[in-house]
């Protein structure tokens, strides 16, 4: 069975909620799954010290261990939780990847399956661009990208304001962050976890 690591960053908890569903999907295949949060910047922590929503979300994640580069080496598959920042990944995740140069130089992640799940404030706030722009550094590491096919994710064939695309599982948090993930989004997140676990197992054989 595959080893799956799910490194994620979640300021207000939406990506964390999706991460828990990705875990469930991967575990359903028999995979060993680790969930790990990417380290917060101290400057952000101080700036958000009086933001109740931020404090509550971080409290809910306090038992989650911080992601380490050794986790990436251990894993057969890596599923990244990447909230959008202006259609791109947040700096916290960029720093985590930028500091993994030794893994890149030595090809330690080459041939492993990878995928992305994300959250945006609005329908057009980066649902697709965040996944696509995240793909660029992942390819530099030699990772093999796994998407969400339409065939088993009919929830995507909608004009309703929900997340989910061929590029990534996702949710729409709302401009003020008050929206919460819906079941269709959770379902696609679970499928993504299972899909990456299955592909990872095949690639590691």
């Amino acid at each position: 069975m595959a080893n799956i690591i799910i490194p994620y960053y979640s300021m207000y908890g939406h990506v964390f909620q999706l991460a828990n569903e990705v875990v469930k999907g991967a575990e359903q295949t028999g995979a060993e799954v680790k969930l790990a949060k990417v380290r917060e910047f101290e400057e952000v922590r101080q700036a958000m010290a009086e933001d109740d929503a931020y404090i509550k979300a971080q409290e809910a994640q306090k038992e989650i261990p911080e992601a380490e580069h050794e986790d990436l080496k251990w894993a057969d598959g890596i599923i990244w939780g990447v909230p959008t920042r202006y259609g791109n990944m947040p700096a916290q995740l960029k720093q985590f990847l930028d500091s993994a140069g030794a893994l890149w130089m030595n090809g330690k992640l080459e041939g492993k399956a990878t995928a992305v799940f994300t959250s945006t404030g609005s329908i057009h706030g980066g649902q697709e661009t965040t996944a696509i722009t995240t793909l660029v550094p992942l390819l530099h590491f030699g990772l093999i990208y796994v998407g969400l096919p339409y065939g088993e994710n009919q929830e995507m064939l909608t004009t309703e304001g929900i997340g989910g695309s061929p590029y990534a599982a996702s949710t729409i948090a709302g401009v003020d962050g008050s929206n919460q993930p819906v079941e269709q989004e959770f379902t696609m997140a679970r499928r993504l976890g299972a899909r990456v676990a299955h592909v990872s197992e095949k690639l590691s054989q």
Side-chain angles (χ1 to χ4, degrees):
M1 295 298 177
N3 294 332
I4 303 296
I5 181 67
I6 303 171
Y8 76 95
Y9 175 75
S10 187
M11 178 174 278
Y12 290 113
H14 297 82
V15 169
F16 177 51
Q17 290 185 64
L18 285 186
N20 286 315
E21 300 303 313
V22 174
V23 168
K24 292 175 185 177
E27 287 181 337
Q28 287 171 1
T29 72
E32 182 175 349
V33 184
K34 293 182 181 179
L35 181 64
K37 62 188 178 187
V38 171
R39 191 170 292 113
E40 178 64 281
F41 293 156
E42 185 57 34
E43 295 87 347
V44 173
R45 188 176 288 112
Q46 292 177 11
M48 303 295 287
E50 297 184 9
D51 187 305
D52 290 340
Y54 175 82
I55 293 169
K56 182 178 179 180
Q58 299 310 304
E59 179 67 18
Q61 301 171 59
K62 67 179 181 179
E63 301 300 328
I64 307 298
E66 290 187 341
E68 304 290 346
H69 294 149
E70 287 297 315
D71 295 325
L72 307 182
K73 292 169 62 176
W74 165 83
D76 300 306
I78 307 166
I79 311 174
W80 305 88
V82 187
T84 192
R85 291 297 183 273
Y86 314 115
N88 206 337
M89 69 171 65
Q92 291 85 346
L93 271 159
K94 186 65 163 59
Q95 183 183 66
F96 183 70
L97 285 171
D98 285 350
S99 61
L103 300 182
W104 165 77
M105 183 174 293
N106 295 297
K108 294 298 185 181
L109 305 186
E110 292 179 6
K112 298 185 179 189
T114 196
V116 167
F117 57 100
T118 187
S119 173
T120 65
S122 63
I123 295 172
H124 300 296
Q127 286 278 306
E128 297 182 352
T129 60
T130 301
I132 292 170
T133 53
T134 299
L135 172 60
V136 175
L138 301 186
L139 290 177
H140 277 259
F141 281 97
L143 293 161
I144 299 172
Y145 198 80
V146 177
L148 277 175
Y150 280 106
E152 62 181 21
N153 293 280
Q154 294 290 301
E155 294 86 354
M156 291 190 292
L157 297 173
T158 180
T159 57
E160 299 298 320
I162 66 169
S165 75
Y167 316 107
S170 58
T171 188
I172 300 171
V175 176
D176 62 356
S178 62
N179 285 8
Q180 296 301 311
V182 297
E183 185 54 38
Q184 297 100 312
E185 296 166 339
F186 283 150
T187 297
M188 286 184 276
R190 290 191 293 270
R191 290 193 191 121
L192 183 65
R195 184 171 171 79
V196 173
H198 283 309
V199 173
S200 299
E201 184 176 3
K202 293 180 183 298
L203 290 173
S204 64
Q205 291 174 349

